Amino acid sequence: MQNTTQHTHNTQVNNQPAKAKPGFWTFFAIIMTIIGGVIVPQLKAAEVAAVPSFQVTVIGEGKPVLLIPGLMSDSRIWQDTVKSLKSDYQLHLISLAGFAGTPAIAGEFLPQVQQDLLAYIEQQQLVKPAVIGHSLGAFLAFALASSAPEQIGTVVAVDGLPYIAPIFSRNPATQVTDMQAQASQIKGYYQNMTVEQLTAGAKQGLFIQARSAAHQQLVLEMASRSDSRTVGQAMYELLTTDLRPKVSAIQSKVWLLGASGALPEAQQAQATAIYQQQLATIANATLLMNTNSRHFMMLDEPEWFIAQLRLALQE
């Protein structure tokens, strides 16, 4: 039986001038530039491990939790989260190949990362670790939990979905066949992109990523250190891989934390409906929409975000 609940979070924020509604391709490009980080001191890690498709920093003790960042991000996006959870959980901070200065790999990207993450869980003898993933990292969390349901514990998807294309098309009926041509075009476009072009593209979408100027500025720095070929490959795979038919296999509970604060008020309900539709076949799923936070809710509203994580991670 499906058990899906939905809540909306509202807090008081400063009034800002309304943004003009972007065209489809502008909206597509800026949201797909899912990048970020936060300027803070480096964490002191108890252990650092690496495989070709990602690097891992392990901090804290307790129940294992994997934290997977999104496109062109690395583990620094979880700094506030780590400070709050490291006393109670063993945190495995993932930095994916090709993003934010982590060395890139060739060939397929997301399938390789998924395979390597499952091998890492087995090698480290992690018993049903929780997986917290942001954006692309949330897609990977859904992929792990649906392909190996008995090995994965609670899933917390942070503004990420089993299939990302309906957010851009604004149509829940969008299928891979509808996006194949665009996906190939985007992949080709990124193959020969310069650092300057990648950074300029990121700059167009700063307002949708985070609210503060400091976090927005770091978005550009993170983008400039990412590998454009990896970015293009990842975008292609996200647009041509639909996990919606597979997520019914997930046995653990799922929390989807959606951020719709960058959208006009008139589009809030539509976004919520698209998010809800993607959870429809998961037996134990909860949707919470934060209507004020931008894409990086762990940076915009860390206290609210950490409070939801603690609830989600409870047994």
Side-chain angles (χ1 to χ4, degrees):
M1 178 181 296
Q2 179 186 350
N3 179 18
T4 303
T5 59
Q6 174 186 322
H7 307 280
T8 301
H9 170 71
N10 290 282
T11 58
Q12 186 67 33
V13 296
N14 294 329
N15 292 326
Q16 298 179 354
K19 300 287 184 180
K21 180 179 177 181
F24 172 79
W25 282 111
T26 300
F27 190 80
F28 182 88
I30 61 181
I31 295 187
M32 284 305 287
T33 311
I34 301 169
I35 51 184
V38 56
I39 302 174
V40 290
Q42 291 294 316
L43 291 168
K44 293 182 179 179
E47 178 184 351
V48 178
V51 297
S53 67
F54 59 85
Q55 297 178 356
V56 187
T57 301
V58 182
I59 298 174
E61 297 181 357
K63 178 179 173 58
V65 179
L66 274 61
L67 294 103
I68 310 174
L71 190 72
M72 289 196 274
S73 300
D74 65 16
S75 63
R76 287 174 290 174
I77 67 169
W78 308 114
Q79 295 284 336
D80 289 331
T81 306
V82 170
K83 291 176 184 177
S84 297
L85 299 184
K86 65 181 180 179
S87 297
D88 303 309
Y89 298 93
Q90 183 188 68
L91 306 174
H92 297 251
L93 308 178
I94 309 296
S95 291
L96 298 175
F99 297 159
T102 305
I105 59 172
E108 287 190 330
F109 181 67
L110 294 175
Q112 186 63 55
V113 173
Q114 179 181 342
Q115 177 181 323
D116 289 346
L117 283 170
L118 288 173
Y120 175 80
I121 290 169
E122 182 176 354
Q123 291 164 3
Q124 299 297 315
Q125 299 181 343
L126 305 181
V127 179
K128 294 187 75 70
V131 183
I132 302 171
H134 178 231
S135 197
L136 175 148
F139 172 88
L140 283 167
F142 283 117
L144 292 170
S146 58
S147 64
E150 296 182 357
Q151 293 178 251
I152 304 299
T154 297
V155 169
V156 182
V158 185
D159 212 29
L161 298 169
Y163 188 43
I164 200 169
I167 288 294
F168 309 125
S169 65
R170 303 177 189 178
N171 180 3
T174 298
Q175 302 294 321
V176 168
T177 53
D178 302 319
M179 301 302 298
Q180 186 69 54
Q182 293 94 326
S184 296
Q185 183 181 4
I186 290 168
K187 178 181 177 180
Y189 177 68
Y190 274 86
Q191 292 307 295
N192 298 310
M193 185 175 286
T194 65
V195 171
E196 292 75 18
Q197 290 171 329
L198 190 64
T199 304
K203 191 173 183 179
Q204 295 181 36
L206 290 178
F207 78 93
I208 212 166
Q209 304 297 344
R211 290 199 302 255
S212 81
H215 294 150
Q216 290 182 2
Q217 181 59 37
L218 194 44
V219 163
L220 297 179
E221 188 271 336
M222 299 283 280
S224 69
R225 300 182 63 227
S226 293
D227 176 68
S228 64
R229 286 180 175 270
T230 303
V231 174
Q233 180 68 28
M235 288 183 179
Y236 174 83
E237 291 170 0
L238 285 172
L239 291 171
T240 57
T241 309
D242 185 355
L243 296 178
R244 289 176 296 181
K246 300 179 180 180
V247 293
S248 60
I250 296 176
Q251 299 176 7
S252 54
K253 64 180 178 180
V254 172
W255 281 47
L256 172 53
L257 307 180
S260 57
L263 294 175
E265 185 176 353
Q267 296 177 19
Q268 296 280 343
Q270 183 184 32
T272 299
I274 290 174
Y275 279 54
Q276 189 72 63
Q277 182 265 349
Q278 299 217 6
L279 298 178
T281 63
I282 301 176
N284 186 2
T286 299
L287 171 64
L288 297 111
M289 296 297 296
N290 188 312
T291 59
N292 293 307
S293 180
R294 306 295 166 87
H295 187 55
F296 282 84
M297 63 173 64
M298 73 287 287
L299 305 181
D300 277 355
E301 297 189 12
E303 292 183 0
W304 180 86
F305 176 71
I306 291 165
Q308 309 320 309
L309 289 188
R310 287 196 174 277
L311 289 173
L313 293 174
Q314 288 178 355
E315 294 295 340

